[in-house]
Amino acid sequence: MTNPGPDGWHGPLPDIEIPDVSLYDLLFAGLTSADAAKPAVVDHASGVTLTLGEVKCQTDAFAAWLSASGIGAGDAVGVLLPNGPDYLAAFHGIARAGAATSPVNATYTAPEIARQLTATKAPKIVTHPALLAQAVAGAIQAGLAASDVIVVGDPDAPRAAGHTAWSDVLATEPNPPTVDIDPATHIACLPFSSGTSGMPKPVMLSHRNLVANMLQFNEVLRPLGDDVSLVAFLPYSHIYAMTTNLNYALYRRCPQYTMAGFDPMAFLTIIATYRPAVLFVVPPVAAFLAKHPAVGQADLSSLKLIVCGAAPLDGPVGEALQERLGVRVVQGYGMTELSPVTHVIPLDRRDIDLGTIGPAVPNVRFRVVDPETGTDVAVPASGEVSQPGELWCAGPNAMLGYLGIPKDADAVLDADGWVHTGDLVTVDADGVVRMVDRIKELIKRRGMQIAPAELEALLCLHPAVADAAVLGVDLKGTAGDQVPHALVQLRPGAEASASELTAWVADRVAPHKRLGGVHFVEKVPRSAAGKILRRQLPVLLPAK
Ligand code: AYL
């Protein structure tokens, strides 16, 4: 085996055939009556359980309702729901109708919701009673009518307010018209990502992208056997949970135990009660499981695998977790633009450092490219690692592009199909990759994206602010968890306090994007072309 091959580096597992089918056909078309009776989703807090057959029936009913409402190919529908049983049919009903889900983070404020609905031109939104106020405000800002807001749960209150009740939608005859779906070009989902720079934008993921990534990832999990039951606490609105939890558990006919948010003690209770086999976590949750005293008292004996991704896992934390729980822990890497998973440590490769992201999953090719010269870094000798370079990935899981942004205007997906990740990595002679740094603008908080450009634009709307730059500051005692700080240049003669500007941002964004500090500077450093000189920002922070 030569690695890298002519088309880049590859992983240890052989490539697989990706079936040319829609998501619905892969997950539901061949559902046997035995499988239909299996639990698909269990929500501990509400006690609601849906079988696979019930999820399919709801999916069909929602697809039929959407089709009858004139929604289909080329349309998007907003989904603003916490994790819970209704999410499954909402997502798949939209895809079956030929439309795309525009998944909105459940903690978003009305302006954030409106921006997302507007960018994806979504004519409808599905939401939850607990999120109704911000959903309606966002929908109205985006030009939707009250009846375009579909509300799950008790039907009476939404009906009285002129909204559409989910239970009325689900009463539709579950026989939607057949929609011709070309898996390679038909968009199933439009999650938002800021890519390597600028504002968050809708990422066009096709049916093939989502089908492929689930199957690519499945190859890595194959040694686990039949049980991949899992706790779905990471938000479905993020591609990490959408692919590896929502869709993957359905594909494998295993139950997913939903949590509307991460509550550590409820999380431990759910694991002890339902005995799932797998957890998909982000580094702060890995650290909680590795260190918190309560974990020592909990029964976590059902667990067989913990996959950690979305931000850097500290190798020793991974080791400590593996040791403490006696559970295999692996690190994975992904990016929304790649549907998302490209690298995971193989389950049987105990020799690979948990601080790496492992080799590529099947069908992914990757390159490590010197950002200065644009050439691939030299292949290292056995036992050594390469020079750092930017990770480029290609495969059937690579996005179609950003919605509404011309292909040649986007620096992320190139004409040869490589996604330029904006992450700096090294690779060893076996194709095992280690993250070194992020060279894109992105800040990550608990695995969730924060685009500096979004907060900078908000700050510049404040009357006292002349210019602003936002950078990520590592949170103490965490490996790689960051909080955004702002460097603010005030207008001459204008006054504003740090707390006023912090509140200005907090009033307008989801909690994870709130500023951890505001520091006043004489001038925000910009190039002659007006670009923020981001490398100069850290030295402008006050000494700790
Ligand atoms: P997005 N270590 C360090 N940084 C990471 C890692 C990791 N293991 N994984 C993701 N990132 C960063 O689009 C990196 O900067 O998708 C990358 O470009 O919200 C960015 O996060 C992408 O952020 C899985 C399944 C990871 C999913 C994912 C992450 C999807 C995050 C592993 O098994």
Side-chain angles (χ1 to χ4, degrees):
M1 183 170 95
T2 51
N3 202 352
D7 52 355
W9 295 79
H10 54 86
L13 292 169
D15 287 350
I16 51 168
E17 193 70 42
I18 307 298
D20 190 33
V21 293
S22 69
L23 258 180
Y24 181 88
D25 282 350
L26 182 78
L27 298 179
F28 298 110
L31 195 67
T32 62
S33 51
D35 281 347
K38 290 182 181 167
V41 56
V42 178
D43 185 57
H44 176 69
S46 65
V48 172
T49 299
L50 295 179
T51 63
L52 279 154
E54 286 168 326
V55 173
K56 179 178 194 261
C57 189
Q58 291 192 355
T59 295
D60 291 343
F62 187 32
W65 185 89
L66 287 169
S67 296
S69 310
I71 292 174
D75 294 322
V77 177
V79 175
L80 172 68
L81 289 174
N83 285 14
D86 300 314
Y87 210 113
L88 282 64
F91 178 81
H92 284 290
I94 293 165
R96 180 158 204 207
T101 291
S102 177
V104 189
N105 186 307
T107 65
Y108 270 15
T109 60
E112 292 173 298
I113 296 165
R115 219 192 36 238
Q116 194 167 327
L117 294 177
T118 305
T120 55
K121 301 196 180 70
K124 307 249 180 233
I125 183 167
V126 185
T127 193
H128 186 275
L131 308 174
L132 196 58
Q134 79 244 41
V136 171
I140 286 171
Q141 279 177 37
L144 275 61
S147 59
D148 295 326
V149 178
I150 304 161
V151 190
V152 305
D154 170 27
D156 292 337
R159 274 194 208 124
H163 304 310
T164 300
W166 180 237
S167 53
D168 294 342
V169 169
L170 295 186
T172 312
E173 200 58 43
N175 52 358
T178 309
V179 179
D180 202 13
I181 289 176
D182 171 11
T185 56
H186 216 106
I187 300 162
C189 189
L190 290 162
F192 276 61
S193 168
S194 59
T196 51
S197 67
M199 298 289 279
K201 42 219 162 222
V203 177
M204 296 190 287
L205 298 181
S206 66
H207 282 254
R208 180 175 167 78
N209 288 153
L210 298 182
V211 164
N213 202 237
M214 212 159 50
L215 299 179
Q216 292 170 283
F217 174 70
N218 185 44
E219 291 302 305
V220 183
L221 264 59
R222 207 172 268 288
L224 271 184
D226 289 339
D227 186 6
V228 298
S229 56
L230 54 92
V231 183
F233 69 91
L234 295 174
Y236 287 145
S237 57
H238 189 260
I239 192 69
Y240 183 3
M242 182 157 297
T243 291
T244 68
N245 295 358
L246 192 155
N247 284 331
Y248 186 60
L250 281 174
Y251 172 64
R252 294 293 306 271
R253 285 33 181 146
C254 288
Q256 46 197 306
Y257 305 103
T258 48
M259 293 185 78
F262 184 67
D263 168 346
M265 296 311 139
F267 181 59
L268 296 178
T269 303
I270 287 173
I271 299 171
T273 308
Y274 299 99
R275 306 193 56 75
V278 189
L279 297 178
F280 294 91
V281 306
V282 290
V285 175
F288 161 76
L289 289 172
K291 294 177 185 160
H292 199 282
V295 176
Q297 316 304 312
D299 176 6
L300 307 185
S301 59
S302 62
L303 295 174
K304 292 200 216 118
L305 176 69
I306 298 175
V307 182
C308 183
L313 174 69
D314 191 32
V317 171
E319 292 292 341
L321 176 57
Q322 192 159 256
E323 187 78 6
R324 182 182 201 189
L325 300 187
V327 174
R328 178 63 171 143
V329 174
V330 296
Q331 180 163 199
Y333 164 92
M335 176 169 169
T336 305
E337 288 80 348
L338 289 155
S339 307
V341 188
T342 63
H343 291 71
V344 187
I345 298 176
L347 274 46
D348 60 352
R349 290 289 305 277
R350 300 239 173 204
D351 57 308
I352 295 180
D353 180 355
L354 292 182
T356 71
I357 57 170
V361 300
N363 302 54
V364 161
R365 296 293 178 271
F366 71 92
R367 294 168 58 185
V368 181
V369 179
D370 183 331
E372 304 294 323
T373 63
T375 56
D376 293 66
V377 300
V379 176
S382 176
E384 296 188 4
V385 300
S386 72
Q387 289 299 311
E390 188 185 7
L391 178 66
W392 292 12
C393 295
N397 52 314
M399 66 168 178
L400 303 184
Y402 295 108
L403 182 71
I405 299 181
K407 270 239 156 67
D408 51 6
D410 117 46
V412 176
L413 178 64
D414 74 20
D416 297 320
W418 295 101
V419 170
H420 301 205
T421 65
D423 291 313
L424 205 63
V425 303
T426 58
V427 61
D428 75 10
D430 295 324
V432 173
V433 176
R434 185 184 289 274
M435 284 279 301
V436 176
D437 198 4
R438 211 179 277 136
I439 49 177
K440 56 184 162 189
E441 287 180 5
L442 187 63
I443 298 169
K444 279 241 147 163
R445 183 81 206 271
R446 296 194 300 271
M448 287 183 288
Q449 291 200 2
I450 304 170
E454 183 181 344
L455 301 184
E456 287 155 3
L458 263 180
L459 284 162
C460 288
L461 289 176
H462 189 282
V465 174
D467 201 1
V470 170
L471 73 166
V473 172
D474 288 343
L475 268 176
K476 269 209 191 76
T478 66
D481 207 15
Q482 296 179 308
V483 64
H485 280 234
L487 299 170
V488 172
Q489 175 186 334
L490 291 175
R491 289 185 189 283
E495 277 180 35
S497 66
S499 58
E500 181 184 343
L501 294 178
T502 304
W504 171 267
V505 172
D507 286 347
R508 291 165 174 79
V509 298
H512 72 273
K513 300 183 192 169
R514 289 178 187 163
L515 293 172
V518 171
H519 317 281
F520 295 99
V521 293
E522 288 279 305
K523 193 146 187 54
V524 169
R526 287 185 181 266
S527 70
K531 271 186 78 124
I532 294 174
L533 297 168
R534 296 196 181 272
R535 296 218 165 265
Q536 296 186 14
L537 300 182
V539 295
L540 295 174
L541 285 173
K544 269 177 238 149

